mmCIF file of all heavy atoms in Angstrom:
data_model
loop_
_atom_site.group_PDB
_atom_site.id
_atom_site.type_symbol
_atom_site.label_atom_id
_atom_site.label_comp_id
_atom_site.label_asym_id
_atom_site.label_seq_id
_atom_site.Cartn_x
_atom_site.Cartn_y
_atom_site.Cartn_z
ATOM 1 N N GLY A 1 14.106 -5.561 41.555
ATOM 2 C CA GLY A 1 12.687 -5.834 41.618
ATOM 3 C C GLY A 1 11.885 -4.909 40.754
ATOM 4 O O GLY A 1 10.794 -5.224 40.302
ATOM 5 N N ARG A 2 12.382 -3.715 40.479
ATOM 6 C CA ARG A 2 11.722 -2.706 39.662
ATOM 7 C C ARG A 2 12.612 -2.068 38.666
ATOM 8 O O ARG A 2 13.754 -1.719 39.060
ATOM 9 C CB ARG A 2 11.047 -1.641 40.526
ATOM 10 C CG ARG A 2 9.896 -2.136 41.350
ATOM 11 C CD ARG A 2 9.176 -1.007 42.006
ATOM 12 N NE ARG A 2 8.016 -1.461 42.848
ATOM 13 C CZ ARG A 2 7.267 -0.667 43.557
ATOM 14 N NH1 ARG A 2 7.396 0.655 43.483
ATOM 15 N NH2 ARG A 2 6.239 -1.151 44.229
ATOM 16 N N THR A 3 12.158 -1.928 37.530
ATOM 17 C CA THR A 3 12.881 -1.229 36.430
ATOM 18 C C THR A 3 12.029 -0.229 35.784
ATOM 19 O O THR A 3 10.776 -0.428 35.723
ATOM 20 C CB THR A 3 13.479 -2.153 35.374
ATOM 21 O OG1 THR A 3 12.429 -2.924 34.812
ATOM 22 C CG2 THR A 3 14.481 -3.119 36.013
ATOM 23 N N TYR A 4 12.603 0.832 35.333
ATOM 24 C CA TYR A 4 11.783 1.900 34.617
ATOM 25 C C TYR A 4 12.587 2.355 33.337
ATOM 26 O O TYR A 4 13.817 2.303 33.402
ATOM 27 C CB TYR A 4 11.591 3.123 35.517
ATOM 28 C CG TYR A 4 10.730 2.797 36.689
ATOM 29 C CD1 TYR A 4 11.260 2.530 37.917
ATOM 30 C CD2 TYR A 4 9.318 2.867 36.590
ATOM 31 C CE1 TYR A 4 10.443 2.212 39.057
ATOM 32 C CE2 TYR A 4 8.509 2.553 37.668
ATOM 33 C CZ TYR A 4 9.055 2.265 38.929
ATOM 34 O OH TYR A 4 8.281 2.025 39.951
ATOM 35 N N TYR A 5 11.838 2.662 32.331
ATOM 36 C CA TYR A 5 12.467 3.017 31.086
ATOM 37 C C TYR A 5 11.809 4.259 30.519
ATOM 38 O O TYR A 5 10.597 4.517 30.679
ATOM 39 C CB TYR A 5 12.286 1.876 30.047
ATOM 40 C CG TYR A 5 13.002 0.609 30.396
ATOM 41 C CD1 TYR A 5 12.327 -0.341 31.114
ATOM 42 C CD2 TYR A 5 14.375 0.420 30.086
ATOM 43 C CE1 TYR A 5 12.996 -1.528 31.469
ATOM 44 C CE2 TYR A 5 14.986 -0.741 30.462
ATOM 45 C CZ TYR A 5 14.376 -1.693 31.101
ATOM 46 O OH TYR A 5 14.952 -2.854 31.488
ATOM 47 N N ALA A 6 12.606 5.015 29.820
ATOM 48 C CA ALA A 6 12.031 6.115 29.024
ATOM 49 C C ALA A 6 11.219 5.524 27.866
ATOM 50 O O ALA A 6 11.568 4.488 27.392
ATOM 51 C CB ALA A 6 13.151 6.998 28.446
ATOM 52 N N ASP A 7 10.175 6.190 27.485
ATOM 53 C CA ASP A 7 9.331 5.641 26.400
ATOM 54 C C ASP A 7 10.148 5.426 25.184
ATOM 55 O O ASP A 7 9.892 4.476 24.353
ATOM 56 C CB ASP A 7 8.205 6.656 26.063
ATOM 57 C CG ASP A 7 7.141 6.635 27.224
ATOM 58 O OD1 ASP A 7 7.134 5.692 28.043
ATOM 59 O OD2 ASP A 7 6.366 7.579 27.235
ATOM 60 N N SER A 8 11.169 6.214 24.900
ATOM 61 C CA SER A 8 11.893 6.180 23.681
ATOM 62 C C SER A 8 12.789 4.881 23.545
ATOM 63 O O SER A 8 13.224 4.594 22.463
ATOM 64 C CB SER A 8 12.810 7.379 23.471
ATOM 65 O OG SER A 8 13.677 7.500 24.643
ATOM 66 N N VAL A 9 13.010 4.235 24.685
ATOM 67 C CA VAL A 9 13.861 3.085 24.664
ATOM 68 C C VAL A 9 13.113 1.809 25.064
ATOM 69 O O VAL A 9 13.685 0.685 25.012
ATOM 70 C CB VAL A 9 15.157 3.284 25.536
ATOM 71 C CG1 VAL A 9 15.807 4.538 25.130
ATOM 72 C CG2 VAL A 9 14.773 3.236 27.016
ATOM 73 N N LYS A 10 11.861 1.860 25.496
ATOM 74 C CA LYS A 10 11.140 0.714 25.869
ATOM 75 C C LYS A 10 11.033 -0.344 24.774
ATOM 76 O O LYS A 10 10.833 0.062 23.643
ATOM 77 C CB LYS A 10 9.710 1.115 26.287
ATOM 78 C CG LYS A 10 9.532 1.562 27.779
ATOM 79 C CD LYS A 10 8.121 1.879 28.012
ATOM 80 C CE LYS A 10 7.950 2.489 29.392
ATOM 81 N NZ LYS A 10 6.624 3.005 29.648
ATOM 82 N N GLY A 11 11.323 -1.572 25.123
ATOM 83 C CA GLY A 11 11.311 -2.598 24.205
ATOM 84 C C GLY A 11 12.554 -2.847 23.435
ATOM 85 O O GLY A 11 12.699 -3.803 22.721
ATOM 86 N N ARG A 12 13.480 -1.903 23.621
ATOM 87 C CA ARG A 12 14.813 -2.007 22.912
ATOM 88 C C ARG A 12 15.955 -2.093 23.853
ATOM 89 O O ARG A 12 16.935 -2.740 23.579
ATOM 90 C CB ARG A 12 15.049 -0.726 21.991
ATOM 91 C CG ARG A 12 13.956 -0.581 20.899
ATOM 92 C CD ARG A 12 14.354 0.528 19.921
ATOM 93 N NE ARG A 12 14.496 1.830 20.539
ATOM 94 C CZ ARG A 12 15.608 2.587 20.541
ATOM 95 N NH1 ARG A 12 16.703 2.121 19.975
ATOM 96 N NH2 ARG A 12 15.617 3.773 21.216
ATOM 97 N N PHE A 13 15.864 -1.378 25.002
ATOM 98 C CA PHE A 13 16.892 -1.430 26.020
ATOM 99 C C PHE A 13 16.461 -2.238 27.193
ATOM 100 O O PHE A 13 15.296 -2.281 27.590
ATOM 101 C CB PHE A 13 17.224 -0.026 26.439
ATOM 102 C CG PHE A 13 17.858 0.918 25.423
ATOM 103 C CD1 PHE A 13 18.007 0.515 24.105
ATOM 104 C CD2 PHE A 13 18.424 2.129 25.806
ATOM 105 C CE1 PHE A 13 18.627 1.352 23.129
ATOM 106 C CE2 PHE A 13 19.039 2.933 24.913
ATOM 107 C CZ PHE A 13 19.132 2.594 23.554
ATOM 108 N N THR A 14 17.470 -2.837 27.866
ATOM 109 C CA THR A 14 17.229 -3.643 29.084
ATOM 110 C C THR A 14 18.277 -3.217 30.099
ATOM 111 O O THR A 14 19.481 -3.405 29.825
ATOM 112 C CB THR A 14 17.258 -5.098 28.831
ATOM 113 O OG1 THR A 14 16.259 -5.421 27.848
ATOM 114 C CG2 THR A 14 16.929 -5.877 30.137
ATOM 115 N N ILE A 15 17.806 -2.757 31.228
ATOM 116 C CA ILE A 15 18.736 -2.503 32.340
ATOM 117 C C ILE A 15 18.790 -3.672 33.327
ATOM 118 O O ILE A 15 17.779 -4.361 33.531
ATOM 119 C CB ILE A 15 18.259 -1.192 33.113
ATOM 120 C CG1 ILE A 15 19.396 -0.740 34.118
ATOM 121 C CG2 ILE A 15 16.934 -1.404 33.803
ATOM 122 C CD1 ILE A 15 19.080 0.655 34.764
ATOM 123 N N SER A 16 19.972 -3.957 33.848
ATOM 124 C CA SER A 16 20.099 -5.016 34.787
ATOM 125 C C SER A 16 21.320 -4.714 35.741
ATOM 126 O O SER A 16 22.079 -3.805 35.456
ATOM 127 C CB SER A 16 20.320 -6.358 34.087
ATOM 128 O OG SER A 16 21.546 -6.332 33.287
ATOM 129 N N ARG A 17 21.410 -5.501 36.769
ATOM 130 C CA ARG A 17 22.569 -5.309 37.678
ATOM 131 C C ARG A 17 22.917 -6.668 38.238
ATOM 132 O O ARG A 17 22.164 -7.562 38.420
ATOM 133 C CB ARG A 17 22.185 -4.393 38.772
ATOM 134 C CG ARG A 17 21.133 -4.816 39.722
ATOM 135 C CD ARG A 17 20.617 -3.651 40.627
ATOM 136 N NE ARG A 17 21.703 -3.251 41.462
ATOM 137 C CZ ARG A 17 21.640 -2.092 42.170
ATOM 138 N NH1 ARG A 17 20.602 -1.255 42.064
ATOM 139 N NH2 ARG A 17 22.644 -1.796 43.000
ATOM 140 N N ASP A 18 24.216 -6.787 38.536
ATOM 141 C CA ASP A 18 24.733 -7.944 39.257
ATOM 142 C C ASP A 18 25.375 -7.419 40.489
ATOM 143 O O ASP A 18 26.547 -6.919 40.505
ATOM 144 C CB ASP A 18 25.756 -8.618 38.333
ATOM 145 C CG ASP A 18 26.310 -9.919 38.907
ATOM 146 O OD1 ASP A 18 26.199 -10.115 40.156
ATOM 147 O OD2 ASP A 18 26.787 -10.719 38.137
ATOM 148 N N ASN A 19 24.725 -7.522 41.623
ATOM 149 C CA ASN A 19 25.216 -6.973 42.840
ATOM 150 C C ASN A 19 26.476 -7.713 43.373
ATOM 151 O O ASN A 19 27.290 -7.099 44.037
ATOM 152 C CB ASN A 19 24.157 -7.036 43.949
ATOM 153 C CG ASN A 19 23.059 -5.946 43.721
ATOM 154 O OD1 ASN A 19 23.249 -4.983 42.952
ATOM 155 N ND2 ASN A 19 21.869 -6.117 44.322
ATOM 156 N N ALA A 20 26.615 -8.974 43.028
ATOM 157 C CA ALA A 20 27.821 -9.686 43.394
ATOM 158 C C ALA A 20 29.050 -9.112 42.693
ATOM 159 O O ALA A 20 30.143 -9.237 43.282
ATOM 160 C CB ALA A 20 27.654 -11.206 43.060
ATOM 161 N N LYS A 21 28.827 -8.536 41.538
ATOM 162 C CA LYS A 21 29.975 -7.943 40.783
ATOM 163 C C LYS A 21 30.060 -6.417 40.872
ATOM 164 O O LYS A 21 30.850 -5.777 40.220
ATOM 165 C CB LYS A 21 29.862 -8.380 39.337
ATOM 166 C CG LYS A 21 30.048 -9.840 39.095
ATOM 167 C CD LYS A 21 30.002 -10.237 37.601
ATOM 168 C CE LYS A 21 30.169 -11.712 37.398
ATOM 169 N NZ LYS A 21 30.149 -12.051 35.962
ATOM 170 N N ASN A 22 29.108 -5.831 41.629
ATOM 171 C CA ASN A 22 29.084 -4.358 41.776
ATOM 172 C C ASN A 22 28.998 -3.718 40.406
ATOM 173 O O ASN A 22 29.619 -2.712 40.159
ATOM 174 C CB ASN A 22 30.319 -3.816 42.504
ATOM 175 C CG ASN A 22 30.262 -4.148 44.013
ATOM 176 O OD1 ASN A 22 29.264 -4.615 44.502
ATOM 177 N ND2 ASN A 22 31.314 -3.881 44.649
ATOM 178 N N THR A 23 28.129 -4.278 39.491
ATOM 179 C CA THR A 23 28.092 -3.832 38.121
ATOM 180 C C THR A 23 26.637 -3.728 37.708
ATOM 181 O O THR A 23 25.830 -4.598 37.978
ATOM 182 C CB THR A 23 28.943 -4.712 37.205
ATOM 183 O OG1 THR A 23 30.280 -4.819 37.644
ATOM 184 C CG2 THR A 23 28.905 -4.179 35.761
ATOM 185 N N MET A 24 26.356 -2.691 36.929
ATOM 186 C CA MET A 24 25.088 -2.428 36.259
ATOM 187 C C MET A 24 25.317 -2.535 34.779
ATOM 188 O O MET A 24 26.440 -2.144 34.310
ATOM 189 C CB MET A 24 24.444 -1.159 36.718
ATOM 190 C CG MET A 24 23.155 -0.800 36.035
ATOM 191 S SD MET A 24 22.456 0.777 36.586
ATOM 192 C CE MET A 24 23.697 1.933 35.994
ATOM 193 N N TYR A 25 24.241 -2.912 34.120
ATOM 194 C CA TYR A 25 24.394 -3.040 32.630
ATOM 195 C C TYR A 25 23.252 -2.380 31.942
ATOM 196 O O TYR A 25 22.191 -2.133 32.513
ATOM 197 C CB TYR A 25 24.439 -4.531 32.225
ATOM 198 C CG TYR A 25 25.455 -5.373 32.905
ATOM 199 C CD1 TYR A 25 25.092 -6.119 34.028
ATOM 200 C CD2 TYR A 25 26.789 -5.388 32.434
ATOM 201 C CE1 TYR A 25 26.086 -6.890 34.678
ATOM 202 C CE2 TYR A 25 27.723 -6.144 33.128
ATOM 203 C CZ TYR A 25 27.393 -6.887 34.215
ATOM 204 O OH TYR A 25 28.342 -7.634 34.815
ATOM 205 N N LEU A 26 23.436 -1.982 30.653
ATOM 206 C CA LEU A 26 22.405 -1.516 29.753
ATOM 207 C C LEU A 26 22.562 -2.199 28.447
ATOM 208 O O LEU A 26 23.557 -1.907 27.723
ATOM 209 C CB LEU A 26 22.484 -0.018 29.579
ATOM 210 C CG LEU A 26 21.295 0.586 28.818
ATOM 211 C CD1 LEU A 26 19.999 0.445 29.602
ATOM 212 C CD2 LEU A 26 21.494 2.019 28.491
ATOM 213 N N GLN A 27 21.724 -3.153 28.182
ATOM 214 C CA GLN A 27 21.802 -3.833 26.881
ATOM 215 C C GLN A 27 20.881 -3.036 25.943
ATOM 216 O O GLN A 27 19.778 -2.790 26.160
ATOM 217 C CB GLN A 27 21.189 -5.245 27.013
ATOM 218 C CG GLN A 27 21.068 -6.010 25.689
ATOM 219 C CD GLN A 27 22.476 -6.369 25.107
ATOM 220 O OE1 GLN A 27 23.397 -6.718 25.850
ATOM 221 N NE2 GLN A 27 22.580 -6.104 23.794
ATOM 222 N N MET A 28 21.524 -2.650 24.765
ATOM 223 C CA MET A 28 20.874 -1.740 23.896
ATOM 224 C C MET A 28 20.717 -2.435 22.546
ATOM 225 O O MET A 28 21.763 -2.745 21.932
ATOM 226 C CB MET A 28 21.599 -0.428 23.699
ATOM 227 C CG MET A 28 21.896 0.330 25.000
ATOM 228 S SD MET A 28 22.625 1.961 24.841
ATOM 229 C CE MET A 28 24.219 1.464 24.134
ATOM 230 N N ASN A 29 19.583 -2.741 22.194
ATOM 231 C CA ASN A 29 19.237 -3.441 20.841
ATOM 232 C C ASN A 29 18.529 -2.520 19.923
ATOM 233 O O ASN A 29 17.980 -1.496 20.308
ATOM 234 C CB ASN A 29 18.487 -4.710 21.107
ATOM 235 C CG ASN A 29 19.196 -5.718 21.950
ATOM 236 O OD1 ASN A 29 20.433 -5.784 21.971
ATOM 237 N ND2 ASN A 29 18.431 -6.463 22.734
ATOM 238 N N SER A 30 18.528 -2.872 18.633
ATOM 239 C CA SER A 30 17.759 -2.070 17.618
ATOM 240 C C SER A 30 18.152 -0.618 17.736
ATOM 241 O O SER A 30 17.293 0.278 17.747
ATOM 242 C CB SER A 30 16.301 -2.277 17.757
ATOM 243 O OG SER A 30 15.962 -3.614 17.596
ATOM 244 N N LEU A 31 19.460 -0.297 17.823
ATOM 245 C CA LEU A 31 19.904 1.032 18.007
ATOM 246 C C LEU A 31 19.501 1.910 16.818
ATOM 247 O O LEU A 31 19.539 1.448 15.644
ATOM 248 C CB LEU A 31 21.373 1.107 18.273
ATOM 249 C CG LEU A 31 21.749 0.697 19.744
ATOM 250 C CD1 LEU A 31 23.236 0.315 19.771
ATOM 251 C CD2 LEU A 31 21.436 1.852 20.637
ATOM 252 N N GLU A 32 19.217 3.156 17.098
ATOM 253 C CA GLU A 32 18.830 4.142 16.097
ATOM 254 C C GLU A 32 19.790 5.332 16.166
ATOM 255 O O GLU A 32 20.394 5.582 17.215
ATOM 256 C CB GLU A 32 17.439 4.641 16.382
ATOM 257 C CG GLU A 32 16.370 3.491 16.434
ATOM 258 C CD GLU A 32 15.054 3.985 16.958
ATOM 259 O OE1 GLU A 32 14.986 5.130 17.558
ATOM 260 O OE2 GLU A 32 14.106 3.110 16.946
#
């Protein structure tokens, strides 16, 4: 329900989780 990001990654990274799979993800785009 809530996500938080460091300013340096806002708009580029997305955190998510799948509780059914006991897994969390970090999608990282526009990497520098």
